[in-house]
Amino acid sequence: MAEMGKGVTAGKLAINVQKRLTRAQEKVMQKLGKADETRDVAFEEMVSNFNKQMIEGSKLQKDMKAYLLAVKTMHDASRRLQDCLAEMYEPDWFGKEEMDALTEDTDTLWLDYHQNITDKSLNTLDSYLTQFPDIKTRIAKRDRKMVDFDSARHHFSSLQKGKKKDEAKIAKAEEELGKAQKIFEELNVELQDELPVLFDNRVGVYVNTFQGLAGHQEKFHKEMGKLNQNLNDIMTKLEEQREIKKGGSEAATTEESAKSEEANHSEAASPPPKSAVTNGSDGDLPPGFIYKVKAVHEYAATDGDELELKVGDSVLVLAFENPDEQDDGWLLGVQETHWLQNKDISIKGVFPENFTQKV
C-alpha cells in the first residue's frame, strides 16, 4: 500500500473523498431541480462586490507598479543626461561647482520621489490586497459548507418521509444536520460582517493612495522647478562669460589696430569718438544713468511698473530714487530709442537683470 502523506490517514482521506462525492451529487440534484438550494441574495451581492473590488485593486496595484517603473526609467535617463553635461562642463566655465552640486541634487530628488511613492502609495495597496486571498478562501469554504448543509437537510428529510423509519438513522442524520448547519452559519455570519466593511474601506484606501501620490508629485515638481531655474541661471551666466571673453578679445584686437594706425601718422591724434550711449555731451544722458544693457531674451511686462523687452532692445539703466525699493535681480531703465527721441524718462520701468547683457 502506498505511503500516505504526513498527517493524512486513510480514514481522513476516505472521509474527504466521500464529502466531495456527496457535494457533487447534491449539486447535480440541485441543477436538475430535484433538490432545493439554500440561496442568500444579499450575500451573493456582497460576493459580487468583493470580486469587483479585488479585480479593481489588483489592476490599480499593477498600474502603480508600471508608473513606478516609468519613474525609474525617467530617473535613469535624467541621470545619464546630467552626468553627460557634468562631464562636458569645463573647469574654467562659470559655476562648475554649482553644476556638480545640481547634478547630485537632481539625482537625489528622483530617488526620494521614487522611494516616497513606493512607501506611501504602493505599500498601502500591497497591504490592502493581502486581505483578499484569505477572504476568498473562506467564501469558497462557506459555499462548500452550504452544500454540505443542503445535503444533510435533504438526507434528514428523506429519512423522515421514508415508509420504514429507522429511528437510529434519523437521530444520526439530525445530529449531522445540526453540525453542518452550525459550521455553515458561523462562516456565513463572519463573512456577512466582514464583507461590507471591506467594501467600504476601499474608498479610504483610494483616498490615501492618490492623496499621497498627488502630494509627492507636487513636492517633486516644485523642487525640480527650482533646480531647473538654477540650471537656467548657470547657463545664462555661462553665455555672459562667453560674450565677455569674446568682447575682450575683440577690444584687444581693435586697440592693437588703433596703436598701429597712430604710429603710421605724424599728425596729432584726433579727439576720441563720443560714446554711443550719450549721443553727445553728458547732457544727453538721462538723470541717474548708470550703464547700458542689451536684451538677450524677450520679457512680457506683467505689471504697470515693468518694462517690456524684445531681443536686441538697448536699455539705459537708471538708479532707483530709493535703493530700498530695488528687488534682487531687477533693474530700472528706459528704452534707449525712447530717450533719444523724446528725452523723457516717464516711460521707465523695472525688468529682470538676467534677461539682459551689459554692453
Side-chain angles (χ1 to χ4, degrees), residues 239-250:
E239 175 63 16
E240 291 177 359
Q241 183 187 53
R242 186 182 74 88
E243 291 295 337
I244 291 172
K245 288 183 178 179
K246 181 180 177 181
S249 177
E250 290 176 353

Side-chain angles (χ1 to χ4, degrees), residues 149-192:
F149 168 60
D150 284 343
S151 178
R153 181 164 54 84
H154 294 147
H155 179 58
F156 175 68
S157 177
S158 66
L159 289 176
Q160 282 186 320
K161 293 177 181 178
K163 292 181 180 181
K164 294 182 180 180
K165 295 185 178 181
D166 188 331
E167 296 301 329
K169 287 185 178 181
I170 293 175
K172 184 177 180 182
E174 186 177 11
E175 182 183 353
E176 293 295 330
L177 174 59
K179 291 180 180 178
Q181 183 178 6
K182 181 181 178 182
I183 294 173
F184 166 68
E185 289 181 348
E186 285 178 352
L187 282 170
N188 197 50
V189 170
E190 287 177 1
L191 290 170
Q192 284 180 338

Side-chain angles (χ1 to χ4, degrees), residues 293-310:
V293 296
K294 187 174 184 180
V296 295
H297 300 289
E298 288 192 8
Y299 177 72
T302 59
D303 206 344
D305 65 343
E306 294 182 357
L307 189 68
E308 188 163 318
L309 301 177
K310 293 184 178 179

Side-chain angles (χ1 to χ4, degrees), residues 33-238:
K34 294 182 179 181
D36 63 304
E37 178 182 1
T38 300
R39 297 293 301 271
D40 186 338
V41 176
F43 185 83
E44 289 173 3
E45 184 178 352
M46 292 178 194
V47 173
S48 177
N49 288 338
F50 170 80
N51 291 330
K52 177 175 177 286
Q53 182 181 4
M54 182 169 58
I55 291 171
E56 290 176 347
S58 298
K59 184 179 183 302
L60 178 57
Q61 181 190 46
K62 179 181 177 181
D63 290 342
M64 184 65 73
K65 288 180 178 179
Y67 178 81
L68 277 168
L69 180 61
V71 170
K72 186 177 186 305
T73 301
M74 277 297 298
H75 176 202
D76 292 341
S78 172
R79 179 167 51 201
R80 288 194 296 270
L81 192 61
Q82 292 283 345
D83 288 345
C84 180
L85 178 59
E87 290 172 5
M88 294 188 300
Y89 214 85
E90 298 180 9
D92 60 336
W93 288 359
F94 175 85
K96 171 60 177 173
E97 292 183 0
E98 289 86 345
M99 178 58 67
D100 292 340
L102 184 67
T103 299
E104 184 175 344
D105 290 345
T106 302
D107 186 58
T108 301
L109 183 60
W110 276 107
L111 284 171
D112 290 345
Y113 181 49
H114 186 278
Q115 191 61 48
N116 285 333
I117 296 176
T118 300
D119 291 343
K120 304 296 173 59
S121 295
L122 182 60
N123 288 349
T124 297
L125 282 175
D126 289 345
S127 177
Y128 166 66
L129 289 172
T130 55
Q131 308 170 78
F132 288 85
D134 174 64
I135 295 179
K136 184 178 180 181
T137 299
R138 288 161 60 202
I139 291 174
K141 183 177 180 181
R142 178 259 184 200
D143 291 343
R144 292 193 302 271
K145 297 304 178 183
M146 183 177 67
V147 175
D148 292 344
F149 168 60
D150 284 343
S151 178
R153 181 164 54 84
H154 294 147
H155 179 58
F156 175 68
S157 177
S158 66
L159 289 176
Q160 282 186 320
K161 293 177 181 178
K163 292 181 180 181
K164 294 182 180 180
K165 295 185 178 181
D166 188 331
E167 296 301 329
K169 287 185 178 181
I170 293 175
K172 184 177 180 182
E174 186 177 11
E175 182 183 353
E176 293 295 330
L177 174 59
K179 291 180 180 178
Q181 183 178 6
K182 181 181 178 182
I183 294 173
F184 166 68
E185 289 181 348
E186 285 178 352
L187 282 170
N188 197 50
V189 170
E190 287 177 1
L191 290 170
Q192 284 180 338
D193 290 341
E194 293 179 27
L195 288 176
V197 174
L198 178 63
F199 189 64
D200 183 64
N201 284 347
R202 77 195 190 287
V203 177
V205 171
Y206 298 160
V207 168
N208 291 336
T209 298
F210 283 97
Q211 274 189 341
L213 180 62
H216 295 310
Q217 284 179 332
E218 181 182 13
K219 180 181 178 182
F220 171 78
H221 291 300
K222 182 178 180 181
E223 295 300 321
M224 185 60 74
K226 293 179 182 179
L227 293 176
N228 287 335
Q229 183 60 52
N230 292 342
L231 176 60
N232 182 60
D233 291 344
I234 292 173
M235 293 295 102
T236 300
K237 295 294 184 181
L238 178 61

